[in-house]
Amino acid sequence: MSVRQSLLAILDQGPCYGYQLKHEYDRRTGATSSLNVGQIYNTLERLERDGLVRRGEADERGHVYWQITDDGSLEVARWLASPVIRRNTTRDELAVKLAVAATLPGIDVAAVIRTQRAESQAQLHALQQARYPGESTGGAEELAWTLVMDSMLFAAEAETRWLDHVEERLSQRPGTAASLALATERPKRGRPARIGAA
């Protein structure tokens, strides 16, 4: 959703062609989550379908400029005025992996955590060492890069702290206390058996 809204917000500043939008998105997000041009054009076509942008004529160099509509500008204003709601979801891949591993008999969960911690710490170290790739002038592009990198750094630090917490929580249980065997009671719902063709 943020890619769609970000592209709309950029178009709210003035008409742009596809590759120009990619460049502007990269400048405004520190190029930490660069988009490919195909993704830009797919998004533009969906925005056009939804009446939020319109396609202009190609210029002499073949660039097709996209322009925001009034509805698109209203959508940008709504997006900027609304908070980002982080859903309480259990679909975090790492959390699910460790939860499943912790309930499987015979799995060395401590080894799973050690492997993940090594990767998480390497990522954290890389983020801590990252330096702004352009000339440091204190300008808007550097600020955008710094904001995105700080967010990634804080998330990586939180992940390593959470791994410490998981390890501590698991150390308080005997080895098999968290293991789950397959349930003996079968769920009432499921795919019906196929009946052979007549």
Side-chain angles (χ1 to χ4, degrees):
M1 195 61 161
S2 65
V3 168
R4 170 186 166 97
Q5 308 296 35
S6 297
L7 295 181
L8 266 180
I10 293 166
L11 285 172
D12 208 28
Q13 303 303 302
C16 295
Y17 59 90
Y19 198 82
Q20 181 183 9
L21 271 173
K22 173 187 169 21
H23 177 71
E24 289 296 331
Y25 180 87
D26 289 350
R27 286 179 62 216
R28 294 164 197 277
T29 62
T32 54
S33 59
S34 186
L35 301 174
N36 68 49
V37 176
Q39 187 177 1
I40 299 276
Y41 284 109
N42 285 339
T43 302
L44 285 169
E45 288 169 3
R46 286 193 301 274
L47 289 169
E48 182 182 37
R49 176 201 66 202
D50 296 342
L52 302 176
V53 301
R54 66 177 155 268
R55 186 186 315 232
E57 297 296 320
D59 68 8
E60 66 282 352
R61 299 176 74 188
H63 298 133
V64 174
Y65 282 81
W66 296 78
Q67 186 173 5
I68 197 166
T69 64
D70 290 342
D71 286 346
S73 291
L74 288 173
E75 181 69 21
V76 170
R78 276 194 294 272
W79 178 59
L80 293 173
S82 303
V84 172
I85 299 171
R86 299 191 188 275
R87 304 282 178 215
N88 290 333
T89 177
T90 57
R91 292 297 176 100
D92 176 270
E93 184 179 352
L94 178 56
V96 169
K97 177 181 179 178
L98 291 179
V100 169
T103 64
L104 295 173
I107 299 300
D108 183 356
V109 184
V112 175
I113 293 171
R114 280 192 303 275
T115 300
Q116 183 61 47
R117 181 180 283 113
E119 176 58 30
S120 298
Q121 287 176 335
Q123 178 67 20
L124 177 59
H125 180 72
L127 290 167
Q128 290 168 333
Q129 300 303 311
R131 298 292 173 257
Y132 180 61
E135 183 180 335
S136 183
T137 62
E141 288 181 42
E142 185 175 1
L143 173 63
W145 182 87
T146 302
L147 292 174
V148 173
M149 291 302 291
D150 285 348
S151 173
M152 294 168 63
L153 181 62
F154 290 140
E157 288 173 345
E159 182 171 287
T160 58
R161 286 196 314 273
W162 178 73
L163 287 170
D164 292 341
H165 171 77
V166 170
E167 191 170 50
E168 174 64 26
R169 180 159 287 198
L170 291 173
S171 73
Q172 296 169 359
R173 294 178 163 269
T176 59
S179 295
L180 288 175
L182 290 177
T184 56
E185 184 179 324
R186 300 291 182 233
K188 303 241 186 285
R189 296 182 56 162
R191 182 177 289 185
R194 285 187 155 202
I195 300 173

